[in-house]
């Protein structure tokens, strides 16, 4: 059994990448290109080497599974577990891939960078060293800067001010106090509104989390059902060329198809089936109309007949 360090070094040497952890293989991109180094027919232009969302991981694993199915390699995969980027699941798959590669690699030179058209591959840089300042921090800094830059006036010292000047100064101070009280009241009202907005956002976030959890459970449930169908078809012993064998191949084409894959379009068969059904319904309606016409003729009463 090879160690994780040796497997990571092998992948980096083969694909000219810079992986540092086995968990980073969970995007599926490296697995696709390892198969391409063996067969040389993987559509790497459809592989998302910069994937950072689970739906993008799923697209990569569909390409990986389609390639295995195309070359008749029976390797059951649990893509959902691999997409979680856990160590054990990806470690087991990369070990199997290394053994498979050792047995099937043609031995010719492989230019990984040229094959993926120079696309960068490997783990993404999630560095947050240049994270922007939050709006609240910016507001506080601006207020502090404005306060520091505000020129400070010197109060005149000494007696002998005229009474009018003293009265004007007192009136100014009273006006400033009233303005300060109004500003404080406005600030309190603004704080109350902000608290209400925060509560509403918290509530919406909780609802969104519940919806996401529910969607993930439903996704896992239906994926497990599809996986059971896939395993059943792979293990079933069907007579080649039979109707059941053709149906099984069609179901596999539907399971392995992607939005951009070159697999036969299952919608064409569905449309044909719908056309056949519509034709059958039309024939039935035509026969029903003839029967109704005959029944009406048999029940027709001659106007000259009397009772």
């Amino acid at each position: 059994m090879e160690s994780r360090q040796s497997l990571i070094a092998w992948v980096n040497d083969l694909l000219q990448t810079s992986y540092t952890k086995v968990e980073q293989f969970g995007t599926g991109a490296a697995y696709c290109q390892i198969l391409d180094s063996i067969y040389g027919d993987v559509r790497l232009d459809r592989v998302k080497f910069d994937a950072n969302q689970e739906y993008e991981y799923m697209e990569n694993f569909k390409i990986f599974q389609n390639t295995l199915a195309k070359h008749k390699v029976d390797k059951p995969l649990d893509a959902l577990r691999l997409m979680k980027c856990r160590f054990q699941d990806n470690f087991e798959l990369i070990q199997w891939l290394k053994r498979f590669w050792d047995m099937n690699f043609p031995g010719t030179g492989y230019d990984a960078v040229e094959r993926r058209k120079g696309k960068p591959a490997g783990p993404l840089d999630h560095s947050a060293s240049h994270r922007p300042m939050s709006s609240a921090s910016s507001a506080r800094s601006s207020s502090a800067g404005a306060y520091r830059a505000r020129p400070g006036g010197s109060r005149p010292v000494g007696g002998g001010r005229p009474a009018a000047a003293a009265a004007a100064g007192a009136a100014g101070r009273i006006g400033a106090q009233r303005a300060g009280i109004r500003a404080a009241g406005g600030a309190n009202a603004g704080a109350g509104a902000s608290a209400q907005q925060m509560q509403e956002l918290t509530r919406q976030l909780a609802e969104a989390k519940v919806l996401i959890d529910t969607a993930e459970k439903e996704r896992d449930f239906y994926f497990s059902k599809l996986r059971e169908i896939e395993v059943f078809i792979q293990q079933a012993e069907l007579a080649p060329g039979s109707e059941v064998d053709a149906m099984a191949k069609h179901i596999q084409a539907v399971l392995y198809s992607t939005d951009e894959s070159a697999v036969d379009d299952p919608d064409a068969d569905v449309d044909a089936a719908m056309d056949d059904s519509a034709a059958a319904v039309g024939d039935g309606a035509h026969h029903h109309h003839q029967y109704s016409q005959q029944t009406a003729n048999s029940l027709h009463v001659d106007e000259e007949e009397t009772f």
Side-chain angles (χ1 to χ4, degrees):
M1 179 184 296
E2 299 194 44
S3 65
R4 72 177 78 179
Q5 290 84 1
S6 62
L7 289 171
I8 294 172
W10 167 69
V11 172
N12 287 333
D13 181 64
L14 176 66
L15 306 183
Q16 296 301 299
T17 50
S18 56
Y19 290 101
T20 58
K21 298 179 181 179
V22 172
E23 293 89 330
Q24 294 166 344
F25 298 149
T27 65
Y31 300 143
C32 292
Q33 193 163 11
I34 291 173
L35 288 185
D36 183 71
S37 70
I38 299 173
Y39 300 114
D41 59 356
V42 180
R43 292 294 303 272
L44 295 182
D45 57 326
R46 296 176 181 172
V47 175
K48 295 174 173 59
F49 289 98
D50 57 348
N52 58 5
Q53 299 292 333
E54 285 196 358
Y55 73 89
E56 295 176 319
Y57 301 170
M58 178 60 74
E59 291 297 321
N60 289 343
F61 277 105
K62 283 182 180 179
I63 295 173
F64 181 72
Q65 289 179 309
N66 286 343
T67 305
L68 291 177
K70 177 181 179 180
H71 294 281
K72 304 185 184 305
V73 179
D74 185 13
K75 174 58 179 175
L77 293 175
D78 192 341
L80 283 181
R81 292 177 63 89
L82 293 164
M83 285 163 45
K84 297 297 183 183
C85 297
R86 298 192 181 104
F87 170 78
Q88 188 60 37
D89 300 312
N90 286 278
F91 186 58
E92 292 176 358
L93 180 56
I94 197 63
Q95 283 182 319
W96 177 85
L97 263 179
K98 179 60 167 64
R99 292 193 299 269
F100 184 78
W101 185 88
D102 288 338
M103 292 185 296
N104 297 278
F105 183 64
T108 57
Y110 180 72
D111 190 344
V113 177
E114 195 278 332
R115 279 291 297 160
R116 60 177 179 261
K117 306 301 182 183
K119 290 182 180 179
L124 297 177
D125 183 11
H126 298 287
S127 174
S129 59
H130 300 288
R131 184 174 298 168
M133 184 184 296
S134 65
S135 58
S137 300
S138 300
R140 286 195 297 269
S141 299
S142 299
S143 300
Y147 178 78
R148 287 191 297 268
R150 185 181 302 159
S154 60
R155 180 184 247 176
V157 180
R161 283 191 307 176
R173 287 192 297 273
I174 293 173
Q177 291 174 355
R178 289 178 177 175
I181 292 172
R182 285 195 298 270
N188 291 334
S194 299
Q196 291 178 353
Q197 292 176 354
M198 183 64 70
Q199 290 178 354
E200 177 64 18
L201 291 174
T202 302
R203 183 188 64 79
Q204 293 178 4
L205 183 62
E207 291 179 355
K209 187 177 185 303
V210 171
L211 291 175
I212 292 173
D213 292 341
T214 303
E216 287 182 348
K217 290 179 181 178
E218 291 181 356
R219 178 199 64 189
D220 295 346
F221 173 78
Y222 289 113
F223 183 86
S224 65
K225 295 299 181 184
L226 293 173
R227 177 61 184 152
E228 291 177 5
I229 295 173
E230 179 187 19
V231 173
F232 175 77
I233 293 176
Q234 290 177 348
Q235 296 178 352
E237 296 181 358
L238 305 176
S242 64
E243 183 177 355
V244 177
D245 182 57
M247 183 182 299
K249 290 181 178 179
H250 175 70
I251 294 174
Q252 283 183 320
V254 174
L255 291 175
Y256 297 143
S257 64
T258 62
D259 293 340
E260 301 175 346
S261 65
V263 180
D264 293 340
D265 186 4
D267 291 339
D269 295 335
V270 175
D271 292 341
M274 292 178 66
D275 292 340
D276 294 341
S277 300
V281 173
D283 293 340
H286 177 68
H287 293 312
H288 176 71
H289 175 71
Q290 290 180 342
Y291 175 77
S292 300
Q293 187 65 35
Q294 293 173 359
T295 305
N297 292 335
S298 65
L299 295 178
H300 176 69
V301 178
D302 193 347
E303 295 179 355
E304 296 180 356
E305 292 183 1
T306 57
F307 298 91

